[in-house]
Amino acid sequence: MGDRGARSRFRKVVSWGLAVLSALVVVAGIAFVGWALDPHQAEPGPLRSVREDPAVEVTRGEDVVVVSPTGEPSGIGVVFYSGARVEADAYVAPWAPVVAATGVTVVLPDLRLNLALLDSARAEDVVSQAPQVRTWYLGGHSMGGAFAAQHVGAGDTTTEWEGLVLWGSYAVAAADLSDRDDLRVLSVAGDRDGVLPLEEIEDRRPNLPADALTVTVEGMNHAQFGAYGEQAGDEEPTLTDAEAHQALAEVTADFLDP
Protein backbone atom coordinates (compact mmCIF):
# COMPACT_ATOMS: atom_id res chain seq x y z
CA MET A 1 0.00 0.00 0.00
CA GLY A 2 2.86 2.34 0.87
CA ASP A 3 4.55 1.75 -2.50
CA ARG A 4 1.31 2.35 -4.40
CA GLY A 5 0.73 5.58 -2.48
CA ALA A 6 4.26 6.77 -3.21
CA ARG A 7 3.88 5.99 -6.89
CA SER A 8 0.57 7.82 -6.98
CA ARG A 9 2.08 10.89 -5.33
CA PHE A 10 5.03 10.73 -7.76
CA ARG A 11 2.69 10.62 -10.76
CA LYS A 12 0.77 13.59 -9.40
CA VAL A 13 3.98 15.57 -8.92
CA VAL A 14 5.15 14.71 -12.45
CA SER A 15 1.76 15.61 -13.92
CA TRP A 16 1.74 18.89 -12.02
CA GLY A 17 5.28 19.65 -13.17
CA LEU A 18 4.44 18.93 -16.81
CA ALA A 19 1.35 21.10 -16.58
CA VAL A 20 3.39 24.00 -15.18
CA LEU A 21 6.07 23.52 -17.84
CA SER A 22 3.45 23.47 -20.61
CA ALA A 23 1.89 26.64 -19.24
CA LEU A 24 5.28 28.37 -19.15
CA VAL A 25 5.97 27.34 -22.76
CA VAL A 26 2.59 28.75 -23.85
CA VAL A 27 3.19 32.01 -21.98
CA ALA A 28 6.69 32.33 -23.46
CA GLY A 29 5.32 31.63 -26.93
CA ILE A 30 2.62 34.26 -26.56
CA ALA A 31 5.16 36.77 -25.26
CA PHE A 32 7.50 36.04 -28.19
CA VAL A 33 4.74 36.49 -30.76
CA GLY A 34 3.64 39.71 -29.09
CA TRP A 35 7.23 40.98 -29.13
CA ALA A 36 7.72 40.05 -32.80
CA LEU A 37 4.42 41.61 -33.86
CA ASP A 38 5.34 44.96 -32.32
CA PRO A 39 8.03 46.07 -34.79
CA HIS A 40 9.89 49.33 -35.21
CA GLN A 41 7.75 51.32 -37.63
CA ALA A 42 8.78 53.63 -40.44
CA GLU A 43 9.09 57.26 -39.46
CA PRO A 44 6.29 59.14 -41.26
CA GLY A 45 8.38 62.16 -42.28
CA PRO A 46 11.01 60.36 -44.41
CA LEU A 47 8.35 58.07 -45.88
CA ARG A 48 6.19 61.03 -46.85
CA SER A 49 9.16 62.80 -48.47
CA VAL A 50 9.87 59.78 -50.66
CA ARG A 51 6.23 59.54 -51.75
CA GLU A 52 6.47 63.17 -52.85
CA ASP A 53 9.71 62.59 -54.81
CA PRO A 54 8.96 62.67 -58.57
CA ALA A 55 12.00 60.46 -59.31
CA VAL A 56 10.64 57.38 -57.54
CA GLU A 57 7.38 55.52 -57.21
CA VAL A 58 6.41 53.65 -54.04
CA THR A 59 3.82 50.91 -54.38
CA ARG A 60 2.45 49.25 -51.24
CA GLY A 61 0.94 45.81 -51.90
CA GLU A 62 -0.66 43.38 -49.49
CA ASP A 63 2.65 41.99 -48.26
CA VAL A 64 5.37 43.89 -50.09
CA VAL A 65 6.65 47.39 -50.86
CA VAL A 66 8.17 48.15 -54.27
CA VAL A 67 10.33 51.22 -54.84
CA SER A 68 10.85 51.81 -58.55
CA PRO A 69 12.21 54.62 -60.73
CA THR A 70 9.84 56.82 -62.67
CA GLY A 71 12.53 57.14 -65.32
CA GLU A 72 14.19 54.40 -67.35
CA PRO A 73 14.67 51.25 -65.23
CA SER A 74 18.11 49.71 -65.29
CA GLY A 75 16.95 46.09 -65.36
CA ILE A 76 18.61 45.53 -61.98
CA GLY A 77 16.60 44.66 -58.88
CA VAL A 78 17.24 44.16 -55.17
CA VAL A 79 15.13 42.16 -52.75
CA PHE A 80 15.96 43.53 -49.31
CA TYR A 81 15.14 41.93 -45.95
CA SER A 82 14.40 44.10 -42.92
CA GLY A 83 16.31 43.88 -39.67
CA ALA A 84 14.70 41.98 -36.78
CA ARG A 85 11.39 43.51 -35.73
CA VAL A 86 11.57 46.32 -38.27
CA GLU A 87 8.79 46.77 -40.81
CA ALA A 88 9.63 46.79 -44.51
CA ASP A 89 8.44 50.39 -45.03
CA ALA A 90 11.26 51.64 -42.80
CA TYR A 91 13.75 51.00 -45.63
CA VAL A 92 11.92 52.98 -48.31
CA ALA A 93 13.68 56.25 -47.40
CA PRO A 94 17.28 54.88 -47.41
CA TRP A 95 16.71 53.07 -50.71
CA ALA A 96 14.87 55.85 -52.56
CA PRO A 97 18.00 57.89 -53.50
CA VAL A 98 19.68 54.72 -54.79
CA VAL A 99 16.65 54.02 -56.98
CA ALA A 100 16.62 57.61 -58.26
CA ALA A 101 20.35 57.60 -59.03
CA THR A 102 20.65 54.19 -60.69
CA GLY A 103 17.24 53.11 -61.96
CA VAL A 104 17.27 49.92 -59.87
CA THR A 105 14.02 48.49 -58.53
CA VAL A 106 13.88 47.55 -54.84
CA VAL A 107 11.44 45.02 -53.41
CA LEU A 108 10.90 45.13 -49.64
CA PRO A 109 8.87 42.12 -48.51
CA ASP A 110 6.94 41.81 -45.29
CA LEU A 111 8.50 38.93 -43.33
CA ARG A 112 6.80 36.33 -41.17
CA LEU A 113 6.61 37.76 -37.62
CA ASN A 114 8.98 40.50 -38.88
CA LEU A 115 11.91 38.10 -38.62
CA ALA A 116 14.06 36.97 -41.55
CA LEU A 117 15.08 33.83 -39.67
CA LEU A 118 11.50 32.57 -40.16
CA ASP A 119 11.27 33.63 -43.81
CA SER A 120 14.70 33.44 -45.44
CA ALA A 121 13.33 32.10 -48.76
CA ARG A 122 10.74 34.89 -49.08
CA ALA A 123 12.73 36.50 -51.89
CA GLU A 124 11.99 33.64 -54.27
CA ASP A 125 8.30 34.56 -54.23
CA VAL A 126 8.54 38.34 -54.49
CA VAL A 127 10.81 38.63 -57.53
CA SER A 128 7.60 38.31 -59.55
CA GLN A 129 6.69 41.80 -58.32
CA ALA A 130 9.20 43.26 -60.81
CA PRO A 131 9.03 41.30 -64.09
CA GLN A 132 11.13 43.95 -65.86
CA VAL A 133 14.18 43.07 -63.74
CA ARG A 134 16.79 40.88 -65.45
CA THR A 135 19.51 40.85 -62.78
CA TRP A 136 18.73 40.26 -59.13
CA TYR A 137 20.60 41.00 -55.90
CA LEU A 138 19.50 39.85 -52.45
CA GLY A 139 20.30 41.82 -49.35
CA GLY A 140 19.27 42.92 -45.93
CA HIS A 141 19.96 44.86 -42.78
CA SER A 142 21.31 43.18 -39.64
CA MET A 143 19.51 39.82 -39.17
CA GLY A 144 17.90 40.35 -42.57
CA GLY A 145 21.29 40.45 -44.25
CA ALA A 146 22.58 37.44 -42.36
CA PHE A 147 19.68 35.30 -43.54
CA ALA A 148 19.88 36.71 -47.05
CA ALA A 149 23.50 35.52 -47.15
CA GLN A 150 22.45 32.18 -45.70
CA HIS A 151 19.79 31.78 -48.38
CA VAL A 152 22.11 32.58 -51.26
CA GLY A 153 24.76 30.27 -49.86
CA ALA A 154 22.32 27.37 -49.48
CA GLY A 155 22.29 26.94 -53.26
CA ASP A 156 18.71 25.66 -53.49
CA THR A 157 17.35 28.88 -54.95
CA THR A 158 15.09 29.24 -57.95
CA THR A 159 16.42 32.73 -58.71
CA GLU A 160 19.91 33.31 -60.09
CA TRP A 161 21.30 35.84 -57.61
CA GLU A 162 23.99 38.15 -58.96
CA GLY A 163 25.16 39.21 -55.52
CA LEU A 164 24.48 40.43 -52.00
CA VAL A 165 23.95 43.86 -50.45
CA LEU A 166 24.59 43.80 -46.70
CA TRP A 167 23.87 46.84 -44.54
CA GLY A 168 25.10 46.61 -40.96
CA SER A 169 25.21 42.84 -41.34
CA TYR A 170 27.42 39.81 -41.97
CA ALA A 171 27.56 36.23 -43.25
CA VAL A 172 28.13 33.26 -40.98
CA ALA A 173 30.67 30.59 -41.90
CA ALA A 174 27.83 28.12 -42.58
CA ALA A 175 26.68 30.30 -45.48
CA ASP A 176 29.74 28.97 -47.33
CA LEU A 177 30.42 32.12 -49.35
CA SER A 178 34.15 32.57 -48.82
CA ASP A 179 35.13 30.60 -51.92
CA ARG A 180 32.44 32.01 -54.20
CA ASP A 181 33.94 33.83 -57.19
CA ASP A 182 30.59 34.21 -58.98
CA LEU A 183 29.00 36.57 -56.46
CA ARG A 184 29.31 40.35 -56.18
CA VAL A 185 29.06 41.44 -52.55
CA LEU A 186 28.79 44.83 -50.86
CA SER A 187 29.04 45.08 -47.07
CA VAL A 188 28.49 48.48 -45.46
CA ALA A 189 29.10 49.05 -41.75
CA GLY A 190 28.79 52.01 -39.41
CA ASP A 191 31.50 52.74 -36.87
CA ARG A 192 28.92 53.97 -34.33
CA ASP A 193 26.88 50.76 -34.54
CA GLY A 194 26.15 49.61 -31.00
CA VAL A 195 23.82 46.74 -31.95
CA LEU A 196 26.25 45.02 -34.31
CA PRO A 197 29.65 46.58 -33.53
CA LEU A 198 32.14 47.11 -36.33
CA GLU A 199 34.57 44.67 -34.69
CA GLU A 200 32.04 41.83 -35.00
CA ILE A 201 31.47 42.58 -38.69
CA GLU A 202 35.23 42.70 -39.30
CA ASP A 203 35.71 39.39 -37.45
CA ARG A 204 33.22 37.77 -39.85
CA ARG A 205 34.73 39.35 -42.97
CA PRO A 206 36.50 36.06 -43.93
CA ASN A 207 33.05 34.48 -44.42
CA LEU A 208 32.52 36.69 -47.50
CA PRO A 209 34.18 36.24 -50.90
CA ALA A 210 37.73 37.57 -51.06
CA ASP A 211 36.76 40.32 -53.49
CA ALA A 212 33.75 41.56 -51.50
CA LEU A 213 33.60 45.34 -51.26
CA THR A 214 33.55 46.43 -47.60
CA VAL A 215 32.92 50.05 -46.64
CA THR A 216 32.68 51.73 -43.24
CA VAL A 217 30.64 54.91 -42.89
CA GLU A 218 32.15 56.92 -40.05
CA GLY A 219 29.63 58.41 -37.64
CA MET A 220 26.76 56.10 -38.65
CA ASN A 221 24.95 53.85 -36.18
CA HIS A 222 22.77 50.74 -36.58
CA ALA A 223 19.32 52.34 -36.78
CA GLN A 224 20.44 54.77 -39.49
CA PHE A 225 20.49 51.94 -42.03
CA GLY A 226 16.72 52.33 -41.86
CA ALA A 227 14.35 55.15 -41.00
CA TYR A 228 12.57 53.93 -37.87
CA GLY A 229 13.97 56.03 -35.06
CA GLU A 230 16.29 55.06 -32.23
CA GLN A 231 17.08 51.48 -31.27
CA ALA A 232 17.93 50.09 -27.84
CA GLY A 233 21.64 49.39 -27.36
CA ASP A 234 22.74 51.58 -30.25
CA GLU A 235 25.44 54.23 -29.98
CA GLU A 236 24.92 57.93 -30.54
CA PRO A 237 25.70 58.80 -34.18
CA THR A 238 27.79 61.77 -35.20
CA LEU A 239 25.98 62.01 -38.54
CA THR A 240 22.40 63.19 -38.98
CA ASP A 241 19.99 60.68 -40.48
CA ALA A 242 20.05 62.64 -43.74
CA GLU A 243 23.87 62.57 -43.85
CA ALA A 244 23.99 58.87 -43.04
CA HIS A 245 21.43 58.03 -45.72
CA GLN A 246 23.31 60.11 -48.27
CA ALA A 247 26.60 58.34 -47.53
CA LEU A 248 24.89 54.95 -47.63
CA ALA A 249 23.15 55.77 -50.89
CA GLU A 250 26.38 56.91 -52.57
CA VAL A 251 28.20 53.70 -51.68
CA THR A 252 25.29 51.47 -52.67
CA ALA A 253 24.57 53.33 -55.89
CA ASP A 254 28.22 53.09 -56.97
CA PHE A 255 28.07 49.33 -56.40
CA LEU A 256 24.80 48.80 -58.28
CA ASP A 257 25.24 51.37 -61.06
CA PRO A 258 25.12 49.48 -64.35
Side-chain angles (χ1 to χ4, degrees):
M1 181 69 178
D3 288 344
R4 286 199 298 272
R7 286 195 295 270
S8 177
R9 287 192 297 273
F10 176 75
R11 286 194 294 269
K12 288 180 180 178
V13 170
V14 170
S15 297
W16 180 85
L18 290 174
V20 170
L21 180 60
S22 297
L24 290 174
V25 169
V26 170
V27 170
I30 292 172
F32 171 78
V33 171
W35 171 81
L37 290 177
D38 183 28
H40 295 281
Q41 298 182 343
E43 293 180 301
L47 193 57
R48 183 171 54 251
S49 295
V50 173
R51 292 186 181 278
E52 295 172 352
D53 186 345
V56 300
E57 179 179 3
V58 181
T59 305
R60 196 7 148 161
E62 182 178 350
D63 56 3
V64 69
V65 185
V66 180
V67 187
S68 54
T70 54
E72 186 68 25
S74 68
I76 295 173
V78 181
V79 178
F80 193 80
Y81 290 164
S82 307
R85 289 183 62 239
V86 182
E87 66 175 11
D89 305 71
Y91 296 91
V92 169
W95 271 107
V98 181
V99 172
T102 65
V104 304
T105 299
V106 178
V107 180
L108 304 165
D110 295 331
L111 301 172
R112 189 177 295 116
L113 291 184
N114 302 297
L115 297 169
L117 70 89
L118 302 176
D119 220 3
S120 63
R122 182 83 171 88
E124 304 297 336
D125 298 326
V126 299
V127 291
S128 61
Q129 297 286 332
Q132 77 280 10
V133 171
R134 301 182 300 276
T135 302
W136 280 106
Y137 288 80
L138 183 57
H141 174 218
S142 196
M143 179 190 286
F147 281 92
Q150 187 78 13
H151 180 67
V152 169
D156 56 351
T157 64
T158 56
T159 304
E160 185 175 344
W161 298 103
E162 180 76 9
L164 283 166
V165 178
L166 306 178
W167 287 358
S169 190
Y170 57 88
V172 297
D176 199 24
L177 299 177
S178 60
D179 294 332
R180 293 281 296 268
D181 58 6
D182 62 333
L183 207 62
R184 298 188 68 228
V185 177
L186 170 67
S187 175
V188 187
D191 74 343
R192 300 293 296 171
D193 192 327
V195 178
L196 184 59
L198 180 60
E199 294 77 14
E200 292 187 27
I201 294 178
E202 291 176 338
D203 286 346
R204 292 174 168 130
R205 171 63 182 83
N207 299 331
L208 296 176
D211 62 351
L213 176 61
T214 58
V215 179
T216 299
V217 178
E218 295 185 4
M220 185 176 187
N221 71 4
H222 195 75
Q224 288 180 318
F225 285 98
Y228 53 86
E230 297 180 355
Q231 189 166 359
D234 214 354
E235 293 190 26
E236 190 70 25
T238 58
L239 295 178
T240 66
D241 289 350
E243 290 170 339
H245 290 167
Q246 180 180 354
L248 179 62
E250 289 175 356
V251 170
T252 307
D254 285 346
F255 177 77
L256 293 173
D257 194 344

